């Protein structure tokens, strides 16, 4: 059995680091389950793709430009969703909260 060493260039390293950052961004408080799932799946994809390309011994594998645009865009999107949702205006008196209960300060 022959053991081949991996070829780690900046491209492979960036893909793996981007995946790790996306997985970490999934744990930012205030995100929906759907956003968390997409962040984890995207992170796993980037880690696996970087690892896969680094371990290739034959053929030509390249990284399209979009690989370098998706992770920062995804992290910015996740942060805006997480922090934009938590810094919204407070509910006016007499309205209901997300659980359907009435807010304090109402007559009823």
């Amino acid at each position: 059995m022959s053991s081949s060493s991996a070829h780690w260039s900046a491209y492979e390293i960036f893909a793996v680091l981007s995946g790790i950052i996306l997985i970490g961004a999934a744990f930012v408080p205030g995100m929906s389950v759907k956003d968390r799932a997409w962040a984890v799946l995207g992170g796993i994809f980037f880690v696996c793709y970087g690892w896969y390309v680094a371990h290739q011994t034959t053929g030509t594998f390249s990284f399209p430009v979009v690989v370098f645009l998706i992770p920062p865009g995804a992290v910015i999107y996740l942060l805006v969703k997480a922090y934009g949702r938590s810094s919204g205006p407070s509910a006016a008196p007499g309205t209901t909260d997300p659980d359907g209960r009435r807010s304090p300060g109402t007559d009823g």
Side-chain angles (χ1 to χ4, degrees):
M1 179 170 130
S2 67
S3 172
S4 64
S5 62
H7 173 71
W8 290 98
S9 71
Y11 299 108
E12 289 85 5
I13 293 169
F14 181 77
V16 171
L17 289 177
S18 295
I20 292 169
I21 290 169
L22 271 175
I23 292 169
F27 297 99
V28 172
M31 284 195 304
S32 68
V33 173
K34 179 178 137 183
D35 290 335
R36 290 180 197 278
W38 280 114
V40 169
L41 289 174
I44 290 171
F45 171 79
F46 280 105
V47 169
C48 290
Y49 188 69
W51 188 268
Y52 170 76
V53 173
H55 286 82
Q56 290 305 301
T57 57
T58 60
T60 303
F61 298 90
S62 63
F63 284 85
V65 174
V66 72
V67 169
F68 301 105
L69 299 177
I70 290 174
V75 169
I76 290 169
Y77 169 80
L78 292 170
L79 291 174
V80 166
K81 290 278 285 193
Y83 292 110
R85 185 178 299 162
S86 64
S87 64
S90 61
T95 59
T96 58
D97 66 7
D99 295 329
R101 295 178 296 211
R102 302 215 22 109
S103 299
T106 61
D107 297 320

